[in-house]
Amino acid sequence: RIPERIGNPKNLAVLQLRQNDLSGPIPASLGECRRLQALALADNRLSSALPETLGQLAELSVVTLYNNSLEGPLPESLFQLKNLTVINFSHNRFSGSLVPVLGSSSLAVLALTNNSFSGVIPAAVARSRSMVRLQLGGNRLAGAIPAELGNLTRLSMLDLSFNNLSGDIPAELSNCAQLTHLKLDGNSLTGSVPSWLGGLRSLGELDLSSNALTGGIPADLGNCSSLLKLSLGDNHLS
């Protein structure tokens, strides 16, 4: 376990305990480390919910907790922190909605892959114009892909795969000219394969497989000179 007294060194700036065999909860006493900037506890066996006291860490910038067994909803207090730039909570058991993440406008990386989040993708997720990676794959998210994601013009990776998303692929995503990875596979998306995808010249991976897309394959995809992986299988293309 991580001992409760971990909160005693008040000047602690970086806590890195990843790739160990730690179990149990994250101690609430971490909230006493008011100068903490980076918290790396990935690749352990940590469980239980995140303590609300993490919202007291005003200088916190990077939090990586992936590959654990953490659960429960995300604490809203954490996402109100002004300096947060990297959140990676992938491969845990978090649940609830994505509403808490709306508080942060400084995020560059938001990775919540393979959890149990539900509800819709709130349009306000796109308020962080510095976002370069948005990874929400492997959850239970439903509804349409918000057109507002097209405001994330610095985005290089968008992974919304293996959810319950429906509707068309919004044309506003054509504004994300720096995309290198676009993964929308394993949903219930309809409509056609958009021809504007050919304008994403940096695209290296495009995965639209396992949806309900119809129509033909647009010739414009031939303009994606950087494309290394193209997956369109398990649709209704003709």
Side-chain angles (χ1 to χ4, degrees):
R1 286 176 175 264
I2 302 175
E4 278 290 335
R5 63 181 182 276
I6 197 71
N8 290 339
K10 308 302 182 186
N11 294 324
L12 189 66
V14 176
L15 178 60
Q16 181 165 307
L17 299 174
R18 62 183 298 265
Q19 290 185 330
N20 283 287
D21 197 25
L22 297 168
S23 60
I26 296 174
S29 61
L30 268 181
E32 300 301 318
C33 301
R34 300 301 175 88
R35 297 189 179 181
L36 196 65
Q37 299 173 21
L39 177 62
L41 303 177
D43 296 309
N44 281 289
R45 295 189 295 115
L46 299 173
S47 59
S48 193
L50 294 183
E52 286 283 348
T53 53
L54 293 183
Q56 301 172 8
L57 304 175
E59 297 185 26
L60 193 62
S61 175
V62 176
V63 190
T64 54
L65 305 178
Y66 56 87
N67 290 340
N68 279 289
S69 297
L70 297 164
E71 59 188 27
L74 298 178
E76 292 192 29
S77 59
L78 176 62
F79 286 89
Q80 299 299 324
L81 299 177
K82 303 299 183 184
N83 293 317
L84 273 181
T85 57
V86 175
I87 288 280
N88 192 336
F89 292 172
S90 295
H91 300 279
N92 277 285
R93 299 173 184 173
F94 290 114
S95 58
S97 74
L98 296 182
V99 171
V101 307
L102 305 185
S104 179
S105 59
S106 58
L107 281 175
V109 174
L110 178 61
L112 303 176
T113 307
N114 289 342
N115 281 283
S116 296
F117 292 108
S118 57
V120 301
I121 302 174
V125 167
R127 67 179 294 186
S128 180
R129 301 301 174 87
S130 56
M131 187 89 72
V132 294
R133 283 172 49 197
L134 179 59
Q135 297 170 261
L136 304 176
N139 283 285
R140 301 172 185 173
L141 300 169
I145 298 173
E148 288 80 1
L149 294 185
N151 295 329
L152 302 177
T153 55
R154 298 184 183 181
L155 205 61
S156 64
M157 173 177 284
L158 177 60
D159 181 3
L160 305 179
S161 60
F162 294 100
N163 280 287
N164 299 312
L165 300 173
S166 57
D168 293 348
I169 301 171
E172 287 79 2
L173 291 182
S174 62
N175 297 326
C176 303
Q178 298 185 46
L179 274 174
T180 59
H181 296 76
L182 179 58
K183 293 175 56 61
L184 304 178
D185 49 306
N187 284 287
S188 299
L189 298 173
T190 54
S192 60
V193 178
S195 59
W196 52 257
L197 289 169
L200 302 180
R201 302 302 175 87
S202 299
L203 203 60
E205 178 181 8
L206 174 62
D207 196 338
L208 305 179
S209 62
S210 300
N211 279 287
L213 300 173
T214 56
I217 298 173
D220 301 77
L221 287 183
N223 297 326
C224 299
S225 56
S226 299
L227 201 61
L228 299 175
K229 179 180 179 181
L230 173 63
S231 299
L232 302 175
D234 293 317
N235 279 287
H236 305 299
L237 302 178
S238 59

